[in-house]
Amino acid sequence: MTMRELASRARRFGAAGVRLARSRRARRALAVLALLAALPWLLLIGLAAATPFPAPLRRPAAEGAGLRVVDRHARTIRVLRDARGQLSEHVALDEVAPTVPAALIAAEDARFRYHPGLDPVAIVRAAASSAWHGRVVSGASTITQQLARTLFVRPRTLGGKLREMALALRIEASLSKAEILEAYLERVEFGPNLRGIAAASRHYFDKPPSELDLAESATLAAIPRGPTLYDPARGLERVRRRRDRILERMRERGLASEAAIDHALAEPLTLHRGLVEGGAWQFVRELAEGKLEPELVRGEAPVLIRSTIDLDLQARVEELVRRTAARLEAEHATAAAALVVDNASGEVLAYVGSPDFFDAGRLGQNDGVTALRQPGSTLKPFVYAVAMKELGYDAATLLPDIPLELPTGTGTFAPRNYDGIFHGPVRLREALASSLNVPAAFTASRVGPEHVLALLRALGFASLDRDAAHYGVALALGDGEVRLTELAGAYATLARGGMYLPLRFARSAELASGRLVEPTRAAPARVIDADLAAILTDVLSDAAARIGGFGVGSVLELPFPAAVKTGTSKGYRDNWAVGFTRERTVAVWVGNFDGSPMHGSSGVTGAGPLLHAVLLAAMSGKEPAPLVLRDGLVRREVCTLSGELAGPDCPHHAADWFRAGRAPTGVCAMHERVLIEPESGLRAGPACAGASERVFERYPARFAAWAATARRPVAPEAFAARCPGGPVRASGALAVTYPVDGARFVLDPGVERSAQTIVLRAQAPGGARGVTFVVDGRSVGRAELPYRLSWALTPGTHRLHVEDSRGERSELVSFSVR
């Protein structure tokens, strides 16, 4: 080989060596560059591996959500804010309309289905765009990164960003894409203090997220990019423009059909704020605070309470309460409340605590359903229930509606009727139906306040927590304070035929752990005999019997059988009305939360119209069942004056119902036929020519004075001069009128014994010059008209009667002094 050839080969080998050396350096450079490029990802992967899985995502999805209260049909009444003051609500992904994830992916993360938690394409694009413009133009955060951002307070530093990215990788390695979407929709803000798609859907569109259409889904998907910037409360135009951009992206990516996109773009952006932001305010508050169903909020806090409320009826009753408040402004009544109960279950269907929860001037946040107020006459049916049970009273029992002074522990009590009139002898039916005070107070004195109080407590009146002596016989007229819930429960007991069942406000609660809690339910308990409940219901539904107190065609008359009762407290501070059918019980209250009196508004004029309207609403679409179950009752014709079996001389009689074996057997003795001499109008002897018989009323002794004052048709006592006859026993027989039989007096130790006296009173037939009062067999004094005598109280049990100048003696009256 020549030197030239050697030199040429050497040159070739040298060039190849240079090329080889250069190639090795390039590969090494590329390897270094690749290593440098991969190093951040390797570091992120290592950091992600070292990052623990976020504890909030490990706990039940519902934990930390606000309390959602739903009605009996699972419709949301309201969502309460969580511990951070946000409206939040748990929802599973399968409970969200499919258009929501599609719109969200189009808006926030087009490659969500494919990337591992970070989107390299988006990162490169964002970096290049920022370098070109010299500022941040667009972000590169994925849906997973945004979810990670909700789990810790991220500083706006490189370290904070790296932690976010590592956490996103860790989440992607542990959860499926569906689970990530569900967690995102649960935790991301959709507006100021509004967390999660469910709360947003109800807040902005008044519907669950399962019912969102495409346009609404795109609207909500627009908000997380800037919850404050895109807050619809700051204007809808900005939100609408972003919504439309999201819809166009969905078109580009084939996430919805062309027709659906066009329809959504044409849809105006309209918000519909509903009950999630209002309604049943007091009810939800009392339920959440454990005042209505304590078992449901004891221990672990619930995230869902299934209440007994019917939202449709609730909304209707709320409107009726508002109208009532407006109607009664002239009577200085600013507040009203109403409760509707399903009798069969005891479940509360509607609960309205005030006309306007946000009216601070009228104390609208007070709750008229649970407030303690004086019940007026609404307790009277239960006074008569005790008398029927203990004393054998029935609907035809004759009661005194005359001036009475009933003894109490602190003196005497003289009841008066609402109309200021005494009606004489009245049957229990009229006394209760027309709400007369005097017969009710008299009955309470006969049975004893302690027995009345015992029944009321058995009916659920826990607010009556003082002893019987504190209330006295005035308990029959509403002394003491009760709640509307207690009143509704007691009348629902009558509707159930005497079976007491506590009210129910919720059916169950769901805890964050998924555990279901149901409140303990007591079995129905009999507190009033079925036949007594039937008689009382019959009386309360008797429109004819209430004419004397309320007139014809009052608001208490309904187009279906209903038992009703009203009440007015002292000083017109409270109006009440309660009514029931077999299916529903309604209780309403009208007044002022500050306790100021109304201007003459009574139970029938103030609360009555509200009761009428609410009962109509409660029974809408229902066929009422028979109101009174009369099994075990018998029907008899009685004289309307005496309550005894109607006789041939009774001009007026009516059918009444009695317990089997308790019907009256005596014929009316309060009507008599008397021969009258026509010229003088006096009595005539049996042989008097021209005399004719007439029917007169004849009254027991206690009613004689009232009959004379009321000018009742009582037979004359004297005989006509030309037609003499035998002696006549005056209808106003000799009797003690005070104290009443069974009266009890208490000496005051702070007052001298000699200064503590009572006035003994009597009545006598016409013509008696005077009567002698006899105590324990000893005469204590004589008195002429009006037959009154002062007597010093002496400890012990005493027996009193009076004697007239003819030697006639009255019946004995027993009373005690201690």
Side-chain angles (χ1 to χ4, degrees):
M1 183 179 294
T2 64
M3 291 297 294
R4 180 175 293 178
E5 290 173 336
L6 288 173
S8 175
R9 184 171 291 184
R11 285 195 298 271
R12 289 198 299 272
F13 278 121
V18 169
R19 289 197 298 272
L20 180 60
R22 288 176 178 172
S23 175
R24 287 174 178 171
R25 284 196 300 269
R27 284 198 298 271
R28 283 197 297 270
L30 288 174
V32 170
L33 287 174
L35 179 62
L36 290 175
L39 185 60
W41 297 101
L42 294 173
L43 290 174
L44 277 174
I45 292 171
L47 185 58
T51 299
F53 186 72
L57 297 183
R58 189 181 298 116
R59 293 194 292 266
E63 189 170 287
L67 172 62
R68 181 161 67 104
V69 179
V70 301
D71 82 338
R72 63 195 300 108
H73 305 297
R75 296 174 295 184
T76 295
I77 299 176
R78 192 144 48 90
V79 179
L80 299 182
R81 298 185 184 275
D82 60 22
R84 293 174 292 182
Q86 294 180 319
L87 283 174
S88 61
E89 183 181 343
H90 168 65
V91 66
L93 188 61
D94 58 8
E95 296 174 328
V96 176
T99 52
V100 172
L104 187 65
I105 289 171
E108 299 292 335
D109 192 353
R111 284 170 289 279
F112 170 74
R113 301 288 184 187
Y114 314 108
H115 62 62
L118 305 178
D119 186 351
V121 176
I123 293 173
V124 171
R125 185 195 66 238
S129 179
S130 298
W132 178 263
H133 291 91
R135 58 186 175 84
V136 176
V137 175
S138 63
S141 294
T142 64
I143 285 175
T144 315
Q145 285 178 266
Q146 293 178 45
L147 173 60
R149 204 176 298 157
T150 68
L151 300 171
F152 72 102
V153 179
R154 198 205 83 176
R156 300 182 67 84
T157 62
L158 178 60
K161 186 66 175 178
L162 288 174
R163 182 183 174 189
E164 172 195 304
M165 297 170 75
L167 186 54
L169 291 172
R170 180 69 175 86
I171 292 171
E172 285 275 355
S174 303
L175 300 179
S176 67
K177 291 291 185 179
E179 290 171 328
I180 292 171
L181 271 177
E182 182 172 295
Y184 179 95
L185 292 170
E186 172 98 10
R187 303 184 62 86
V188 170
E189 287 195 12
F190 282 82
N193 294 321
L194 199 63
R195 185 163 64 97
I197 189 71
S201 177
R202 298 185 194 281
H203 179 81
Y204 294 124
F205 298 114
D206 189 27
K207 61 173 61 174
S210 60
E211 297 178 9
L212 291 169
D213 63 22
L214 179 58
E216 293 164 342
S217 298
T219 300
L220 295 183
I223 297 175
R225 174 65 61 87
T228 301
L229 177 65
Y230 294 109
D231 178 9
R234 302 181 63 180
L236 297 180
E237 182 57 27
R238 185 185 291 113
V239 184
R240 187 194 62 76
R241 288 198 301 268
R242 178 157 168 75
R243 178 202 73 174
D244 291 353
R245 287 197 298 272
I246 292 170
L247 289 170
E248 291 296 350
R249 289 180 189 175
M250 295 181 72
R251 188 201 302 272
E252 294 168 6
R253 292 169 174 79
L255 295 174
S257 69
E258 291 282 344
I261 297 291
D262 291 340
H263 180 78
L265 288 168
E267 187 174 312
L269 177 51
T270 306
L271 304 183
H272 302 279
R273 300 184 186 272
L275 284 175
V276 71
E277 285 297 313
W281 286 97
Q282 286 92 344
F283 173 76
V284 172
R285 181 186 65 192
E286 301 291 291
L287 197 59
E289 293 178 357
K291 296 177 181 178
L292 299 179
E293 295 285 1
E295 291 178 86
L296 298 185
V297 297
R298 192 177 295 144
E300 185 183 347
V303 295
L304 173 68
I305 293 180
R306 297 178 179 87
S307 79
T308 60
I309 294 295
D310 183 316
L311 264 183
D312 294 331
L313 181 60
Q314 174 74 21
R316 180 64 180 144
V317 176
E318 286 180 357
E319 176 61 24
L320 293 172
V321 168
R322 282 192 291 270
R323 291 181 186 177
T324 295
R327 174 178 62 84
L328 293 175
E329 281 187 359
E331 281 80 23
H332 184 61
T334 60
L339 200 69
V340 180
V341 177
D342 175 74
N343 294 329
S345 63
E347 293 183 341
V348 171
L349 304 177
Y351 180 122
V352 182
S354 70
D356 185 351
F357 185 81
F358 295 101
D359 190 341
R362 295 181 174 181
L363 307 178
Q365 293 192 21
N366 284 14
D367 188 354
V369 172
T370 58
L372 288 170
R373 312 290 297 203
Q374 288 193 330
S377 297
T378 55
L379 302 185
K380 287 175 181 173
F382 311 110
V383 174
Y384 290 118
V386 177
M388 290 177 172
K389 177 76 171 178
E390 301 295 332
L391 304 179
Y393 280 19
D394 52 51
T397 295
L398 207 62
L399 299 172
D401 187 12
I402 57 178
L404 294 176
E405 290 186 358
L406 303 173
T408 68
T410 56
T412 58
F413 171 54
R416 295 291 183 270
N417 291 320
Y418 178 79
D419 60 8
I421 298 173
F422 294 104
H423 304 85
V426 293
R427 289 181 297 147
L428 186 152
R429 178 174 290 275
E430 281 83 18
L432 175 55
S434 290
S435 197
L436 300 178
N437 289 341
V438 178
F442 169 81
T443 301
S445 72
R446 290 293 308 276
V447 300
E450 61 277 6
H451 290 100
V452 176
L453 186 58
L455 175 60
L456 291 174
R457 287 175 177 167
L459 286 164
F461 286 94
S463 55
L464 296 173
D465 55 2
R466 306 290 292 271
D467 59 27
H470 172 78
Y471 303 110
V473 297
L475 183 61
L477 309 184
D479 198 11
E481 294 180 326
V482 305
R483 295 180 172 88
L484 196 64
T485 49
E486 296 169 334
L487 207 58
Y491 277 82
T493 299
L494 287 178
R496 285 188 289 268
M499 301 296 290
Y500 173 70
L501 188 64
L503 297 186
R504 294 182 64 180
F505 301 91
R507 293 177 169 179
S508 65
E510 186 176 314
L511 308 182
S513 62
R515 186 165 65 91
L516 199 66
V517 178
E518 295 182 356
T520 303
R521 293 300 169 203
R526 178 159 301 285
V527 294
I528 299 176
D529 292 345
D531 50 4
L532 300 185
I535 290 174
L536 289 169
T537 299
D538 186 67
V539 171
L540 293 173
S541 62
D542 188 345
R546 76 170 77 99
I547 287 176
F550 301 100
V552 178
S554 75
V555 295
L556 303 181
E557 296 182 24
L558 288 124
F560 43 77
V564 294
K565 186 72 188 75
T566 63
T568 305
S569 68
K570 289 183 291 188
Y572 297 99
R573 284 177 169 78
D574 304 283
N575 287 176
W576 306 80
V578 194
F580 62 86
T581 62
R582 282 286 301 284
E583 294 80 14
R584 300 285 186 264
T585 292
V586 172
V588 304
W589 167 84
V590 170
N592 295 295
F593 287 130
D594 62 5
S596 58
M598 293 170 281
H599 298 161
S601 180
S602 68
V604 67
T605 62
L610 179 58
L611 171 71
H612 185 102
V614 175
L615 202 46
L616 285 177
M619 290 299 294
S620 177
K622 297 188 176 300
E623 184 67 31
L627 180 62
V628 184
L629 299 179
R630 297 187 174 90
D631 297 341
L633 300 182
V634 296
R635 185 176 173 129
R636 296 288 185 271
E637 287 288 323
V638 299
C639 173
T640 57
L641 179 64
S642 68
E644 298 172 314
L645 294 178
D649 297 330
C650 295
H652 304 291
H653 49 86
D656 216 330
W657 294 94
F658 301 88
R659 288 168 284 175
R662 299 291 188 90
T665 56
V667 177
C668 172
M670 290 182 65
H671 289 96
E672 60 177 342
R673 286 184 174 273
V674 177
L675 279 173
I676 297 296
E677 195 275 322
E679 293 183 6
S680 65
L682 300 177
R683 285 179 178 262
C688 184
S692 61
E693 278 191 334
R694 287 174 51 190
V695 175
F696 291 90
E697 295 175 358
R698 179 182 180 88
Y699 288 89
R702 66 168 52 176
F703 298 115
W706 171 85
T709 302
R711 300 183 180 276
R712 300 301 300 173
V714 177
E717 296 178 11
F719 279 85
R722 75 177 186 87
C723 299
V728 177
R729 174 82 173 173
S731 61
L734 190 65
V736 175
T737 59
Y738 187 81
V740 297
D741 190 43
R744 291 168 289 183
F745 300 91
V746 179
L747 290 168
D748 188 342
V751 179
E752 285 198 21
R753 181 75 58 81
S754 60
Q756 300 187 58
T757 64
I758 60 172
V759 176
L760 307 178
R761 301 179 185 178
Q763 66 180 22
R769 295 182 179 179
V771 297
T772 300
F773 290 87
V774 181
V775 178
D776 299 331
R778 296 175 53 191
S779 171
V780 296
R782 179 177 173 79
E784 296 183 351
L785 277 171
Y787 312 128
R788 298 185 179 187
L789 180 72
S790 180
W791 181 73
L793 289 172
T794 304
T797 300
H798 305 285
R799 295 166 69 83
L800 166 67
H801 72 272
V802 291
E803 300 176 355
D804 63 15
S805 57
R806 297 174 294 183
E808 296 285 346
R809 294 179 52 170
S810 71
E811 294 182 359
L812 285 169
V813 169
S814 179
F815 65 96
S816 63
V817 180
R818 60 182 177 85

